[in-house]
Amino acid sequence: MTAAVDGVEYAPHELDRDATFYVAGHRGLVGSAIVRKLESSGFENVVGKTSAELDLKDRDAVFAYMAEAKPKYVVLAAAKVGGILANSTYPVDFLSDNMRIQVNVLDAALKNDVERVLFLGSSCIYPKFAEQPIREDSLLTGHLEPTNDAYAIAKIAGILQTQAVRRQYGLPWISAMPTNLYGPNDNFSPKGSHVLPALIRRYDEAAKAGASSVTNWGTGTPRREFLHADDMAAACLHLMEHYDGPDQVNVGTGSDVTIREIAETIARVTGFAGETEWDTSKPDGTPQKLLDVSKLAEAGWTASISLEEGMERTVAWYRDHVDTIRE
Ligand SMILES: NC(=O)C1=CN([C@@H]2O[C@H](COP(=O)(O)OP(=O)(O)OC[C@H]3O[C@@H](n4cnc5c(N)ncnc54)[C@H](OP(=O)(O)O)[C@@H]3O)[C@@H](O)[C@H]2O)C=CC1
Ligand SMILES: C[C@H]1O[C@H](OP(=O)(O)OP(=O)(O)OC[C@H]2O[C@@H](n3cnc4c(=O)[nH]c(N)nc43)[C@H](O)[C@@H]2O)[C@@H](O)[C@@H](O)C1=O
């Protein structure tokens, strides 16, 4: 199928199933979903390294690994990642670690002639008060949300590096900007996680303990768009096979909910029957973050896992893995 994005036709570019495919961050929420998707799509040689085996902040080690593994394709799904509190408490780490990880991986990929790279950014790259739904061309048109501006600047630098490689070397590297994601292998730590895993854990623990109330952060009024990691992985492979433009592509569902609404859904799915309270001393973050996904739709991909189904699957996964989740 030929895809026409912004009036430019892209012929399908089927990836070689026998080639080495390096998924940086292969144990994480997104990386593990990409590994599942690649393996179920016939890729025979998907490789990855844990951060203990290969610290991507270590430039020499990254160059040595890339020279040895010689991947033909790379997805960069390794990053320092966290929710609103972690981002606003440790901005230097989110800026510095992510700049180093991405510069090392992208430079080493260039040195080793990696044919196709997918860089993953985040919807927080867009201005805090961007017009909704947020189009790709609103990048750099306004001020960032202060709770994650340091992380966002690192991600913007990654997009620019991908575009610069295209301009200077003509390589077909691309980048995708996911909305808020969730699913198996997420970070469920109460202080470090994003809202959805935090609420699954809080409501599940409260339901099991028979608690009369739970307290969430902020006012509950911000709106967020949630995409299941398996959909994200499918979108990544689709883009690598059907898109070859310089602009970053938004990846989301095209619809959003309030935090209060998602809390009600999680309460229902976990069986929590008590009251929900809101701690307004905690930050709300950006009031709304809904991506315009028309470029992705033009490229031929739309999400298929509903929020209700994705929540049920994730709560079930969490309950099965509660003893081994990362803290
Ligand atoms: N989760 C979300 O809601 C969103 C995520 N994204 C982006 O998607 C990508 C993946 O995020 P996600 O899967 O959620 O994050 P996770 O935290 O689940 O996974 C990140 C992975 O990165 C690896 N990693 C981190 N630091 C290093 C390091 N110094 N050296 C080697 N590996 C490292 C970790 O490896 P190990 O396990 O071995 O320590 C981990 O598996 C990131 O670029 C993120 O910015 C974008 C928008 C939303
Ligand atoms: C993906 C994106 O994720 C981050 O941005 P965010 O969307 O604001 O992230 P969040 O998921 O942590 O919060 C969403 C909303 O939910 C509310 N909320 C309620 N109760 C809890 C709670 O218990 N935990 C958390 N984390 N949030 C809570 C919280 O107050 C906020 O209003 C970026 O830093 C950056 O990492 C990024 O790119």
Side-chain angles (χ1 to χ4, degrees), residues 25 27-30 50-51 54-57 77-79 81 101 120-122 151 155 178-181 194 326:
R27 279 201 312 188
L29 168 67
V30 176
T50 66
S51 57
L54 172 65
D55 181 356
L56 296 173
K57 300 195 295 308
V81 180
I101 289 170
L120 294 182
S122 165
Y151 173 77
K155 293 294 187 183
T179 187
N180 292 43
L181 306 169
H194 291 104
R326 56 181 144 144

Side-chain angles (χ1 to χ4, degrees), residues 246-259:
D247 290 347
Q248 78 283 0
V249 178
N250 291 341
V251 183
T253 61
S255 58
D256 61 359
V257 293
T258 65
I259 298 300

